[in-house]
mmCIF file of all heavy atoms in Angstrom:
data_model
loop_
_atom_site.group_PDB
_atom_site.id
_atom_site.type_symbol
_atom_site.label_atom_id
_atom_site.label_comp_id
_atom_site.label_asym_id
_atom_site.label_seq_id
_atom_site.Cartn_x
_atom_site.Cartn_y
_atom_site.Cartn_z
ATOM 1 N N TYR C 116 52.237 64.584 2.256
ATOM 2 C CA TYR C 116 52.146 65.654 3.237
ATOM 3 C C TYR C 116 53.199 66.719 2.922
ATOM 4 O O TYR C 116 54.114 66.489 2.117
ATOM 5 C CB TYR C 116 52.363 65.110 4.652
ATOM 6 C CG TYR C 116 53.793 64.668 4.926
ATOM 7 C CD1 TYR C 116 54.725 65.528 5.515
ATOM 8 C CD2 TYR C 116 54.211 63.397 4.563
ATOM 9 C CE1 TYR C 116 56.035 65.123 5.753
ATOM 10 C CE2 TYR C 116 55.515 62.985 4.790
ATOM 11 C CZ TYR C 116 56.425 63.855 5.381
ATOM 12 O OH TYR C 116 57.722 63.457 5.608
ATOM 13 N N PRO C 121 57.480 75.513 9.785
ATOM 14 C CA PRO C 121 58.794 74.893 10.022
ATOM 15 C C PRO C 121 59.216 74.910 11.490
ATOM 16 O O PRO C 121 59.908 73.999 11.945
ATOM 17 C CB PRO C 121 59.736 75.730 9.155
ATOM 18 C CG PRO C 121 59.028 77.016 8.917
ATOM 19 C CD PRO C 121 57.581 76.691 8.909
ATOM 20 N N VAL C 122 58.814 75.924 12.228
ATOM 21 C CA VAL C 122 59.193 75.985 13.648
ATOM 22 C C VAL C 122 58.559 74.828 14.422
ATOM 23 O O VAL C 122 59.226 74.107 15.175
ATOM 24 C CB VAL C 122 58.773 77.347 14.252
ATOM 25 C CG1 VAL C 122 59.060 77.374 15.756
ATOM 26 C CG2 VAL C 122 59.520 78.483 13.551
ATOM 27 N N LYS C 123 57.257 74.611 14.217
ATOM 28 C CA LYS C 123 56.590 73.514 14.900
ATOM 29 C C LYS C 123 57.072 72.167 14.393
ATOM 30 O O LYS C 123 57.159 71.197 15.157
ATOM 31 C CB LYS C 123 55.081 73.641 14.707
ATOM 32 C CG LYS C 123 54.475 74.831 15.429
ATOM 33 C CD LYS C 123 52.970 74.906 15.197
ATOM 34 C CE LYS C 123 52.381 76.113 15.929
ATOM 35 N NZ LYS C 123 50.918 76.233 15.688
ATOM 36 N N ALA C 124 57.375 72.086 13.093
ATOM 37 C CA ALA C 124 57.869 70.824 12.552
ATOM 38 C C ALA C 124 59.201 70.430 13.175
ATOM 39 O O ALA C 124 59.503 69.236 13.307
ATOM 40 C CB ALA C 124 58.009 70.933 11.034
ATOM 41 N N LEU C 125 60.018 71.430 13.598
ATOM 42 C CA LEU C 125 61.315 71.134 14.205
ATOM 43 C C LEU C 125 61.244 70.940 15.713
ATOM 44 O O LEU C 125 61.940 70.083 16.264
ATOM 45 C CB LEU C 125 62.306 72.261 13.890
ATOM 46 C CG LEU C 125 62.815 72.345 12.446
ATOM 47 C CD1 LEU C 125 63.706 73.568 12.272
ATOM 48 C CD2 LEU C 125 63.581 71.084 12.059
ATOM 49 N N TYR C 126 60.386 71.701 16.378
ATOM 50 C CA TYR C 126 60.457 71.740 17.843
ATOM 51 C C TYR C 126 59.204 71.198 18.542
ATOM 52 O O TYR C 126 59.249 70.920 19.733
ATOM 53 C CB TYR C 126 60.704 73.175 18.322
ATOM 54 C CG TYR C 126 62.024 73.723 17.841
ATOM 55 C CD1 TYR C 126 62.074 74.655 16.798
ATOM 56 C CD2 TYR C 126 63.231 73.308 18.405
ATOM 57 C CE1 TYR C 126 63.271 75.159 16.334
ATOM 58 C CE2 TYR C 126 64.436 73.809 17.955
ATOM 59 C CZ TYR C 126 64.445 74.724 16.917
ATOM 60 O OH TYR C 126 65.649 75.222 16.466
ATOM 61 N N ALA C 127 58.068 71.048 17.810
ATOM 62 C CA ALA C 127 56.867 70.544 18.473
ATOM 63 C C ALA C 127 56.911 69.034 18.677
ATOM 64 O O ALA C 127 56.233 68.511 19.572
ATOM 65 C CB ALA C 127 55.623 70.907 17.672
ATOM 66 N N SER C 128 57.697 68.342 17.871
ATOM 67 C CA SER C 128 57.820 66.889 18.008
ATOM 68 C C SER C 128 59.172 66.467 17.463
ATOM 69 O O SER C 128 59.800 67.186 16.678
ATOM 70 C CB SER C 128 56.689 66.169 17.263
ATOM 71 O OG SER C 128 56.761 66.454 15.887
ATOM 72 N N GLU C 129 59.573 65.276 17.875
ATOM 73 C CA GLU C 129 60.867 64.787 17.415
ATOM 74 C C GLU C 129 60.817 64.315 15.970
ATOM 75 O O GLU C 129 61.748 64.541 15.202
ATOM 76 C CB GLU C 129 61.325 63.637 18.322
ATOM 77 C CG GLU C 129 62.700 63.094 17.956
ATOM 78 C CD GLU C 129 63.166 62.004 18.898
ATOM 79 O OE1 GLU C 129 62.443 61.736 19.878
ATOM 80 O OE2 GLU C 129 64.247 61.430 18.662
ATOM 81 N N ASN C 130 59.718 63.652 15.583
ATOM 82 C CA ASN C 130 59.581 63.128 14.224
ATOM 83 C C ASN C 130 58.132 63.290 13.775
ATOM 84 O O ASN C 130 57.309 62.392 13.949
ATOM 85 C CB ASN C 130 59.995 61.652 14.171
ATOM 86 C CG ASN C 130 60.144 61.147 12.745
ATOM 87 O OD1 ASN C 130 59.637 61.760 11.799
ATOM 88 N ND2 ASN C 130 60.840 60.034 12.581
ATOM 89 N N PRO C 131 57.766 64.434 13.211
ATOM 90 C CA PRO C 131 56.362 64.659 12.825
ATOM 91 C C PRO C 131 55.875 63.698 11.751
ATOM 92 O O PRO C 131 54.704 63.323 11.741
ATOM 93 C CB PRO C 131 56.366 66.107 12.329
ATOM 94 C CG PRO C 131 57.780 66.405 11.973
ATOM 95 C CD PRO C 131 58.619 65.597 12.903
ATOM 96 N N ALA C 132 56.746 63.277 10.834
ATOM 97 C CA ALA C 132 56.324 62.345 9.790
ATOM 98 C C ALA C 132 55.912 61.004 10.390
ATOM 99 O O ALA C 132 54.933 60.380 9.949
ATOM 100 C CB ALA C 132 57.439 62.156 8.769
ATOM 101 N N LEU C 133 56.643 60.549 11.406
ATOM 102 C CA LEU C 133 56.290 59.290 12.074
ATOM 103 C C LEU C 133 54.963 59.430 12.819
ATOM 104 O O LEU C 133 54.139 58.497 12.814
ATOM 105 C CB LEU C 133 57.397 58.889 13.049
ATOM 106 C CG LEU C 133 57.165 57.590 13.827
ATOM 107 C CD1 LEU C 133 56.993 56.415 12.859
ATOM 108 C CD2 LEU C 133 58.302 57.339 14.804
ATOM 109 N N ILE C 134 54.739 60.575 13.423
ATOM 110 C CA ILE C 134 53.455 60.807 14.100
ATOM 111 C C ILE C 134 52.306 60.760 13.083
ATOM 112 O O ILE C 134 51.262 60.149 13.325
ATOM 113 C CB ILE C 134 53.485 62.149 14.847
ATOM 114 C CG1 ILE C 134 54.483 62.103 15.984
ATOM 115 C CG2 ILE C 134 52.097 62.507 15.368
ATOM 116 C CD1 ILE C 134 54.673 63.425 16.705
ATOM 117 N N LEU C 135 52.514 61.414 11.936
ATOM 118 C CA LEU C 135 51.488 61.398 10.892
ATOM 119 C C LEU C 135 51.224 59.971 10.412
ATOM 120 O O LEU C 135 50.068 59.578 10.193
ATOM 121 C CB LEU C 135 51.925 62.274 9.723
ATOM 122 C CG LEU C 135 51.020 62.257 8.480
ATOM 123 C CD1 LEU C 135 49.609 62.700 8.834
ATOM 124 C CD2 LEU C 135 51.597 63.126 7.376
ATOM 125 N N ASN C 137 51.584 57.176 12.119
ATOM 126 C CA ASN C 137 50.835 56.451 13.149
ATOM 127 C C ASN C 137 49.356 56.874 13.160
ATOM 128 O O ASN C 137 48.458 56.048 13.311
ATOM 129 C CB ASN C 137 51.464 56.697 14.515
ATOM 130 C CG ASN C 137 52.841 56.060 14.638
ATOM 131 O OD1 ASN C 137 53.142 55.065 13.958
ATOM 132 N ND2 ASN C 137 53.698 56.628 15.481
ATOM 133 N N TYR C 178 46.840 67.831 17.156
ATOM 134 C CA TYR C 178 48.246 67.631 17.518
ATOM 135 C C TYR C 178 49.072 68.890 17.250
ATOM 136 O O TYR C 178 50.004 69.194 18.001
ATOM 137 C CB TYR C 178 48.834 66.454 16.740
ATOM 138 C CG TYR C 178 48.513 65.107 17.352
ATOM 139 C CD1 TYR C 178 47.315 64.470 17.083
ATOM 140 C CD2 TYR C 178 49.408 64.463 18.180
ATOM 141 C CE1 TYR C 178 47.006 63.238 17.625
ATOM 142 C CE2 TYR C 178 49.117 63.227 18.742
ATOM 143 C CZ TYR C 178 47.908 62.614 18.457
ATOM 144 O OH TYR C 178 47.620 61.386 19.011
ATOM 145 N N ASP C 179 48.779 69.601 16.149
ATOM 146 C CA ASP C 179 49.455 70.857 15.808
ATOM 147 C C ASP C 179 50.970 70.684 15.788
ATOM 148 O O ASP C 179 51.717 71.302 16.550
ATOM 149 C CB ASP C 179 49.057 71.951 16.810
ATOM 150 C CG ASP C 179 49.420 73.340 16.293
ATOM 151 O OD1 ASP C 179 49.624 73.477 15.073
ATOM 152 O OD2 ASP C 179 49.504 74.270 17.113
ATOM 153 N N ILE C 180 51.460 69.842 14.862
ATOM 154 C CA ILE C 180 52.890 69.554 14.778
ATOM 155 C C ILE C 180 53.530 70.183 13.535
ATOM 156 O O ILE C 180 54.665 69.856 13.180
ATOM 157 C CB ILE C 180 53.138 68.039 14.774
ATOM 158 C CG1 ILE C 180 52.338 67.361 13.656
ATOM 159 C CG2 ILE C 180 52.796 67.439 16.119
ATOM 160 C CD1 ILE C 180 52.598 65.868 13.537
ATOM 161 N N GLY C 181 52.835 71.078 12.854
ATOM 162 C CA GLY C 181 53.441 71.848 11.779
ATOM 163 C C GLY C 181 53.449 71.193 10.420
ATOM 164 O O GLY C 181 54.095 71.708 9.499
ATOM 165 N N ILE C 182 52.753 70.068 10.249
ATOM 166 C CA ILE C 182 52.663 69.441 8.934
ATOM 167 C C ILE C 182 51.195 69.255 8.579
ATOM 168 O O ILE C 182 50.326 69.214 9.455
ATOM 169 C CB ILE C 182 53.410 68.095 8.867
ATOM 170 C CG1 ILE C 182 52.793 67.089 9.856
ATOM 171 C CG2 ILE C 182 54.882 68.282 9.120
ATOM 172 C CD1 ILE C 182 53.415 65.718 9.758
#
Side-chain angles (χ1 to χ4, degrees):
Y116 70 94
V122 175
K123 292 180 180 178
L125 288 176
Y126 297 105
S128 62
E129 182 177 356
N130 192 342
L133 180 59
I134 294 175
L135 174 59
N137 292 334
Y178 278 84
D179 195 19
I180 55 177
I182 62 176

